[in-house]
Amino acid sequence: MNSPATKPSSVRGPHLDRGDEIYAGLLYLRDAKDKITKGGALQVYKCLQTTCPRIRRRANANTAHTQYDPSQIQVTDSVKYEANTFVMFINGEKAIHAVTPRNKTPYSRRLVNIIAQDKHRSEMQSEINTIMRQRASEARREARAKQRERARRGSNKNRQKIAAGPVVKQDDV
């Protein structure tokens, strides 16, 4: 349960859950009297780039959530905060999600959070994430090398044209 909002605010911005979390399920239990409060929905995001820049992460992945810069991600789906609504997702490197800001309200955001954890998963996920970042870095390096090679070939063709001099047609002589 989240405490009532004393001012327009969100419980948590765009983030990934802990590394040892396998999946998460949210069962919303919105109070029947809470009919006008806006917000509290779950939003799902995707990165706008190959990799998403993080803005905060503590050293131990099991005690902190990875936070993301909202300007680097885009909302792909949303699940409204409504009574008897259940949503579930698999936690992973691309499972970026957030809660939309709620207006000032005397009502708590009521929900049941159902998760499965594996203490070894965070270590394995950390290794997988490292490999994925290395592959993305290698792909960027290869793309830059190809771009430099194309630019070099283009400048060589220009040099060859300049070295050969102007083309003179028989009619011009």
Side-chain angles (χ1 to χ4, degrees), residues 1-122:
M1 184 178 327
N2 301 131
S3 58
T6 57
K7 61 183 179 183
S9 61
S10 177
V11 177
R12 163 119 358 108
H15 68 281
L16 288 178
D17 287 345
R18 294 169 18 164
D20 63 350
E21 202 171 289
I22 299 169
Y23 63 80
L26 300 171
L27 173 60
Y28 291 141
L29 304 169
R30 187 173 186 149
D31 191 313
K33 297 177 212 158
D34 183 7
K35 296 185 186 306
I36 59 169
T37 306
K38 298 209 184 300
L42 175 75
Q43 286 188 322
V44 180
Y45 296 85
K46 72 174 183 177
C47 296
L48 296 175
Q49 302 172 13
T50 307
T51 59
C52 266
R54 295 179 173 117
I55 57 174
R56 183 175 66 221
R57 183 177 185 171
R58 293 190 188 136
N60 183 348
N62 291 328
T63 60
H65 297 263
T66 301
Q67 299 280 343
Y68 290 91
D69 181 349
S71 70
Q72 301 296 314
I73 54 180
Q74 175 183 348
V75 175
T76 59
D77 208 348
S78 185
V79 179
K80 289 183 180 179
Y81 172 58
E82 294 176 341
N84 300 318
T85 299
F86 181 73
V87 61
M88 188 170 206
F89 60 90
I90 296 173
N91 188 36
E93 186 72 14
K94 295 184 177 183
I96 303 170
H97 58 283
V99 177
T100 59
R102 297 186 75 210
N103 294 340
K104 182 177 177 180
T105 179
Y107 300 102
S108 297
R109 181 172 171 262
R110 300 185 326 172
L111 59 100
V112 176
N113 187 14
I114 302 164
I115 63 169
Q117 293 176 298
D118 178 352
K119 65 179 183 173
H120 301 292
R121 185 172 191 267
S122 62

Side-chain angles (χ1 to χ4, degrees), residues 132-150:
M132 295 301 286
R133 282 191 293 275
Q134 287 171 344
R135 287 184 180 170
S137 179
E138 289 169 10
R140 285 191 303 273
R141 245 190 324 273
E142 287 175 14
R144 284 192 300 266
K146 286 179 183 178
Q147 189 176 21
R148 284 192 301 270
E149 180 61 23
R150 282 193 297 272

